[in-house]
Every structure is written in structure tokens, then in C-alpha cells.
Amino acid sequence: MISFTISLLALIVGYLIYGKLVERVFGPDDRPTPAVSMADGVDYVVLPNWKVFMIQFLNIAGTGPIFGAIMGAWYGPSAYIWIVIGCIFGGAVHDYFSGMLSIRHGGANLPQLVGTYLGDKAKNVMVFFSVFLLLMVGVVFVYSPALILKDFAWSTIVWVLVIFTYYILATMLPIDKIIGKLYPIFAFALLFMAVALLVVLFVKMPDLPELWSDLDSANLNNPQTLLGTSSFFVNNPLFPCLFITIACGAISGFHGTQSPLMARCVNSEKMGRPIFYGAMITEGIVALIWATVSSYFFYYGGWMEVLDAESVNKFLAQANSEGGKSLIQYFSAPNVVEKVCTGWLGLFGGIMAVFGVVAAPITSGDTAFRSARLIIAETLHLEQKSVIKRFYIALPLFASAVALLVWQMENPDGFNTIWQWFGWSNQTLAVFTLWTVTIYLVQQNKAFWLTLVPALFMTTVCSTYLFISKQALGLDETLAYTLGIVSLVAACVWFIIWLYRFHSQH
């Protein structure tokens, strides 16, 4: 718990000090924001600052800081380091600049910003890349909640239809009609659940692995430390897999597609730090809490505390019959959420658990489709005040989503396949955003190192993952790491050459 407490304080101090530095570098002023100068009553709508914060938080959070942190905790206390450093110096910086650049460019979406600073070719790649990513987000967050809800009533297909109907309404209607009304409530529930678990943690004060513990032996993804071995975990080395597993809560490219939604609703640039940087720090705190909860769950018998005797005996019997079944294999991330919330928080915790694994992904899926609509509209120069022109984009968008969903439902491993590629695509999107902001800062003669360092790091992470992952090239570890270093060197050389040419021309 000492490492957890230090990490929690570090995130708060990071907001107060480093967040202020980032804000000073950008330099917000009193110019009219797009919400004021371009108000259209649909996407450009001034909302109260507290509501913008709550919507931004839920837009970027969903189940990401919960499920990702639970899976990331399998790597041991190393997860704390990544959440804290990644959030303060990477994710919050990424979210702040993507939101503020959108404000400065009339509420522009991410591909438009990439095109402005990295060129039209990069923009075209980003249009396809970001729309496909958002489509995957929407599809993943239709099917998984439907699977859970079918246990309460109706069938999976009925719930898919219900969720899709909601998505269509949320995508088409003005942002203040559904999203503006429901999101603050959902965000409050998500925060309340996190705070309640935080209180329980400090009451219990469990003795958990610390940062100064043997990080290798605390790594549950190391086959030597499993309760039995499984080939599924052999190819998940801490680098780069930890940095892909914990995205939301540290740094996530998906956020760059969501920040422009609220950039169109902010009434003052000076609210950028609490809304964009602050929402990411808040998400980091949620991820930190869940990483700690799941550490207790997996490492020190917390799972036995929240299960009844029958369930404990069932697991032990199954583990013995299968030659030592791993806790990780037995308890999925949604299982951990459900068991911990109901075991620690009672009936109310059960309600919060349902929210965490159902409402949260749904509220990420709807804004994913909304962002996709706006990106396509911006690319086609199609105004969106007219309902019929919104339909022009929404109908083929949802038709594509249905096709992808059908494939996922018919393919036994469809969900895992989409999720794995979503994880890599998500972080690759962050790479594009960080390089875009770096070029902007250079052009403005500002401290570009703020985003250059995380851009180089994430470039190395994403390229190495592509080389080492069995879902991609699946190369030998030594070769994969060598190629990852080559990618880092290539990125450095490219930037140095570009920087030299830029200064020569200016």
C-alpha cells in the first residue's frame, strides 16, 4: 500500500505542477472558442464546465482504466510506474494538446490536425485509421454489454438491437440532448465506485507487492510464477506488452478522437487544464485504484475473501484436475469487477459492477460512432447541422458496423481478435497525435520536448509490439527488440532531419 499511496500522491502533484507547466507552454487566452463562434446547436454547443469535465472523463474512460488496469496488474508493481509516468508525462499531455489544438483550429478532428502538421498523406492514413479504430470500439462495446445483459432478460440479439438503437440516437441527436444529460450521471457513478473502493483499500491496508519488491517474481505473466503454466502467457513480455495492455489510465490514442467533441463545447481556453489534463489524471487515479484492488485479488488471496466457500472449492478442485489452473485464466477482468464490487460493497456494489461492465462501454461506443461521423463529415466537407446530411454518413457507418459485428459473432475468436488489434491501433493513434503536437510546438518555437520524448517512447513500444506479438509478425524476441531499437533510431533521424530543414527555411 506504500507504493499505491506514493503513486496516488504523485498523480495529484503531477496535475498541480506538470499540468501547470504544460498549460504555460501552450498559453491559453481569452479568444472566443468554437463553441461560441461556431455554435450550431448540434455539435458546437456551450455546456457548463463541470458537465464538460464529466462528459470528457466518461468519453475517455469507459471500462478502459478498469479492465486494462486489472490485466496490467498481472505484471506486478511495474503497473504503478507506467500508470503514473505514462499519465503525467504522456497521456495527460496528449489529451491536453489534442483538445487545445482542436479548439485553436475550429473544433477540428484528429485527422484534420494531423494533416495540418504532418501533411495530406498522413491525414489520409489517419482518416482511415481513426474511423476503423472507432468502428472497432463501437462494435466491441455493443457485443460485450449485450452478452452480460442477456443474463438478466431477453436475448443477446435483442440487446444488440437495443444498444444499436441507442447508438444511432446518440450519434444523430444534438450533443446536449442525450450525451449531455446522461453522461454526467454515469461519470458520477463511475467515480463513486472508485472512491468507495479507495476507502475500502485504506481500511483493509493489505500488504501488497511494492515497487522495491522483486519485480520479476511479482510478474504473473512470467510462466515461472503462475499457478501452473500456460502457453497463452509465454509471449507477453513486460516490454512492450504492459504499455499496450494499460492504455486508458496511462496514454490512449482513442482520447485524441474524443477531445474534439468537448473542444466544441468549452466556453474558455483556460478551462483546458482541468477538463483535458485533469480528466486524464482522474482516469489515471481510477486505473491505479483498480490495479491495486486486482493486485490484492490475485496476490494475497483477495479472491478467496470475495467468493463464497463453494466457489473457492470449485476453483481449487478445477485447478487440481487441470494440473494447476491459473487465477488469471479463471478470473477475467469482468469477473474481478463483479466479485470485488459485490464482495466489498454489497448490493450497491453489484449495481456499480453492472454499470462498470455495461453502461461504461456503451457510453464509449456511442461517442466513438459520433466521432466517426464528424471525422467523415469533415473529410467530405459535409455540414452536419442538417439531419439528412447526418443520415448520409450515419447509415453506411452503422451498416459497416453491423457487418463487422456479424463477423465477430460468427467467429469464435472474433472478439479477442478485434480487441487485440484495437489495443495496438489505439496506441499507434497516440503516436500520430504526439508527433503532430511535437511539430506544432516546434513551429510555435515552444518546448517541443514535452511531446517529443513520449512520441519516441510510444513509437518504440508500438513498433516492437508489432514485431513481437503472435497476432502480428511474431518474431524472435532478440530480433523483435533489435528492430524496435532500429525504429527508435529511424524516428530520431527523421525528426533531426526535419528539424534541421525547418530551421534552415525559417
Side-chain angles (χ1 to χ4, degrees):
M1 284 293 287
I2 298 176
S3 297
F4 167 72
T5 305
I6 293 174
S7 299
L8 183 64
L9 293 174
L11 286 172
I12 297 172
V13 172
Y15 170 78
L16 296 174
I17 298 178
Y18 200 73
K20 190 68 176 177
L21 170 64
V22 170
E23 180 183 51
R24 186 179 301 115
V25 168
F26 182 83
D29 54 36
D30 295 321
R31 73 185 70 187
T33 63
V36 175
S37 62
M38 301 171 62
D40 64 359
V42 179
D43 298 305
Y44 293 83
V45 179
V46 173
L47 295 176
N49 292 325
W50 70 269
K51 186 173 286 190
V52 176
F53 171 85
M54 296 294 266
I55 297 173
Q56 172 70 7
F57 169 67
L58 198 60
N59 276 353
I60 66 174
T63 54
I66 301 175
F67 289 179
I70 290 172
M71 293 183 287
W74 302 341
Y75 290 95
S78 301
Y80 289 161
I81 301 174
W82 171 230
I83 290 173
V84 172
I85 294 179
C87 189
I88 295 173
F89 302 104
V93 174
H94 169 282
D95 290 11
Y96 178 81
F97 278 112
S98 61
M100 297 305 291
L101 275 182
S102 180
I103 291 176
R104 285 284 172 92
H105 290 77
N109 284 299
L110 184 58
Q112 185 65 39
L113 295 174
V114 170
T116 300
Y117 294 100
L118 297 184
D120 289 338
K121 291 182 179 179
K123 174 187 174 182
N124 294 334
V125 171
M126 282 301 296
V127 168
F128 172 80
F129 199 82
S130 56
V131 170
F132 185 64
L133 173 68
L134 292 167
L135 197 62
M136 284 194 292
V137 171
V139 169
V140 166
F141 290 154
V142 167
Y143 192 50
S144 54
L147 286 175
I148 297 170
L149 289 170
K150 72 176 176 60
D151 293 332
F152 295 90
W154 305 339
S155 65
T156 302
I157 297 298
V158 171
W159 278 114
V160 166
L161 292 174
V162 170
I163 296 171
F164 251 117
T165 301
Y166 165 75
Y167 279 1
I168 292 172
L169 292 174
T171 301
M172 294 292 298
L173 291 176
I175 197 166
D176 59 333
K177 300 304 180 185
I178 292 182
I179 293 175
K181 288 182 170 59
L182 294 180
Y183 270 43
I185 299 173
F186 291 150
F188 174 79
L190 185 59
L191 288 171
F192 187 89
M193 177 174 64
V195 171
L197 292 174
L198 177 65
V199 172
V200 174
L201 279 173
F202 277 113
V203 170
K204 290 181 175 294
M205 290 297 289
D207 182 20
L208 301 176
E210 303 288 357
L211 292 173
W212 44 88
S213 303
D214 185 344
L215 296 184
D216 186 59
S217 64
N219 181 2
L220 291 182
N221 269 314
N222 183 342
Q224 308 304 321
T225 63
L226 287 173
L227 219 102
T229 59
S230 169
S231 61
F232 180 81
F233 300 102
V234 172
N235 270 336
N236 285 289
L238 189 146
F239 184 89
C241 294
L242 170 64
F243 307 95
I244 297 292
T245 302
I246 301 182
C248 296
I251 181 170
S252 169
F254 173 67
H255 298 183
T257 67
Q258 300 303 291
S259 292
L261 292 179
M262 290 302 97
R264 302 176 182 202
C265 299
V266 177
N267 64 3
S268 171
E269 283 192 354
K270 294 179 180 178
M271 292 304 300
R273 183 165 71 105
I275 289 172
F276 298 119
Y277 197 99
M280 183 62 213
I281 292 294
T282 305
E283 185 184 55
I285 292 173
V286 172
L288 195 67
I289 291 170
W290 274 104
T292 306
V293 167
S294 50
S295 292
Y296 176 53
F297 188 92
F298 287 118
Y299 286 88
Y300 285 93
W303 63 279
M304 300 181 69
E305 178 182 306
V306 298
L307 297 182
D308 55 47
E310 181 180 350
S311 298
V312 172
N313 292 332
K314 180 181 178 181
F315 165 73
L316 293 175
Q318 188 171 354
N320 291 330
S321 66
E322 298 182 11
K325 190 175 180 66
S326 168
L327 283 169
I328 296 172
Q329 294 168 273
Y330 189 80
F331 295 108
S332 66
N335 291 149
V336 175
V337 174
E338 178 189 358
K339 300 303 182 185
V340 169
C341 287
T342 54
W344 284 7
L345 306 178
L347 176 62
F348 183 75
I351 297 173
M352 291 295 99
V354 171
F355 165 80
V357 296
V358 174
I362 290 175
T363 53
S364 291
D366 59 4
T367 50
F369 281 118
R370 189 179 188 92
S371 296
R373 171 178 68 81
L374 292 170
I375 288 172
I376 295 171
E378 191 173 64
T379 303
L380 299 178
H381 305 290
L382 197 65
E383 62 86 14
Q384 292 293 278
K385 190 171 183 179
S386 166
V387 175
I388 189 64
K389 291 184 178 179
R390 278 177 257 161
F391 266 114
Y392 289 162
I393 298 172
L395 289 179
L397 183 67
F398 280 103
S400 301
V402 169
L404 188 58
L405 179 63
V406 169
W407 174 85
Q408 174 188 292
M409 294 173 68
E410 293 183 349
N411 187 333
D413 201 37
F415 179 85
N416 290 334
T417 300
I418 292 178
W419 186 263
Q420 288 159 359
W421 280 107
F422 162 69
W424 177 80
S425 302
N426 184 32
Q427 298 302 61
T428 302
L429 201 64
V431 172
F432 276 92
T433 306
L434 289 168
W435 280 115
T436 297
V437 178
T438 300
I439 299 302
Y440 161 79
L441 292 174
V442 171
Q443 293 178 355
Q444 297 296 315
N445 195 29
K446 295 182 177 181
F448 61 84
W449 56 267
L450 284 173
T451 52
L452 174 62
V453 174
L456 290 170
F457 178 75
M458 291 308 299
T459 297
T460 309
V461 166
C462 291
S463 58
T464 304
Y465 185 82
L466 193 62
F467 297 134
I468 205 170
S469 172
K470 288 297 183 182
Q471 283 72 45
L473 298 179
L475 302 178
D476 172 77
E477 282 194 14
T478 301
L479 178 58
Y481 287 136
T482 301
L483 291 175
I485 294 173
V486 170
S487 300
L488 171 62
V489 173
C492 291
V493 170
W494 169 81
F495 180 72
I496 291 171
I497 293 173
W498 179 88
L499 190 63
Y500 173 78
R501 289 177 178 174
F502 175 79
H503 286 306
S504 297
Q505 295 171 1
H506 297 80

